[in-house]
Amino acid sequence: MKKLFYMVVAAATLLGSAACGNKADNKAEQEAQEMTVVGEATDGVATLTDDNLFRPDSKVAMPIVLDFNATWCVPCKKLTPAYHQVAEQFPGKVGFYSVDIEANPETAKAFNIESVPTVVILMPNGTSQRHVGLGDFIAGSLQESELGATPDSVLTPIIAEHLESMVSAQLK
């Protein structure tokens, strides 16, 4: 009877350690799923939707740049050509996404977007940067009061230069 008892205990121990191994495997699998990048490098700008479930705490393998905008927003329209221009300069290194806040309210809410345009840069180390409005992009080049009067042909290169320097700094 004791032998049977010890055999049952031994079998339970072996099964228990196998279960622990499975738990470890499950945990590793879960961590791998958590590390799955929802956004990835693109050639150009991809459209992000609420269905992507991209959130501020998402794990990313490379910098992800999100442009939160709205169709009615004039400064957003001024940022768009520069944003697309810069996106083309980092193929395979950085993911660039456009998020229309009216079409994607859940994503906008998750990122606490209160004003557009807002550019958010998510980094693999878990940090992020937020740039609200065009002030960061035109600082030192134009006054915000000149924004409406400045032709896009002048404004686009200025915005692109500042956006490119911000993204390049994150790749170092």
Side-chain angles (χ1 to χ4, degrees), residues 2 9 11 16 38 40 44 61 64 68 72 75 115 117 134 141 165 172:
K2 276 187 174 182
V9 170
V38 179
E40 55 191 36
I64 300 294
F68 290 91
W72 47 262
S115 180
L134 292 183
S141 301
S165 68
K172 293 180 183 177

Side-chain angles (χ1 to χ4, degrees), residues 22-36:
N22 287 341
K23 287 180 185 175
D25 291 343
N26 288 343
K27 186 174 182 179
E29 185 178 315
Q30 182 180 4
E31 287 175 2
Q33 286 175 347
E34 289 173 2
M35 286 300 293
T36 301

Side-chain angles (χ1 to χ4, degrees), residues 44-102:
V45 178
T47 301
L48 193 67
T49 66
D50 280 341
D51 293 343
N52 293 111
L53 301 176
F54 202 56
R55 299 297 179 253
D57 59 349
S58 296
K59 305 288 184 195
V60 296
M62 65 183 63
I64 300 294
V65 185
L66 304 167
D67 169 28
F68 290 91
N69 56 68
T71 56
W72 47 262
C73 171
V74 173
C76 297
K77 291 177 184 176
K78 294 191 179 290
L79 174 64
T80 298
Y83 189 73
H84 283 263
Q85 180 181 329
V86 173
E88 292 172 5
Q89 296 177 24
F90 297 96
K93 296 179 183 175
V94 179
F96 285 82
Y97 293 86
S98 177
V99 184
D100 182 334
I101 62 166
E102 290 184 331

Side-chain angles (χ1 to χ4, degrees), residues 87-170:
E88 292 172 5
Q89 296 177 24
F90 297 96
K93 296 179 183 175
V94 179
F96 285 82
Y97 293 86
S98 177
V99 184
D100 182 334
I101 62 166
E102 290 184 331
N104 304 290
E106 293 301 316
T107 302
K109 183 178 177 182
F111 281 89
N112 295 318
I113 302 301
E114 296 178 355
S115 180
V116 289
T118 295
V119 174
V120 176
I121 303 173
L122 300 176
M123 296 303 299
N125 66 6
T127 63
S128 65
Q129 289 185 4
R130 178 181 295 255
H131 305 277
V132 180
L134 292 183
D136 287 352
F137 302 109
I138 63 172
S141 301
L142 298 169
Q143 300 296 320
E144 285 202 40
S145 60
E146 297 176 302
L147 179 61
T150 305
D152 289 348
S153 60
V154 173
L155 195 57
T156 298
I158 293 170
I159 294 170
E161 179 183 334
H162 290 282
L163 182 59
E164 180 182 352
S165 68
M166 288 187 301
V167 172
S168 295
Q170 299 305 318

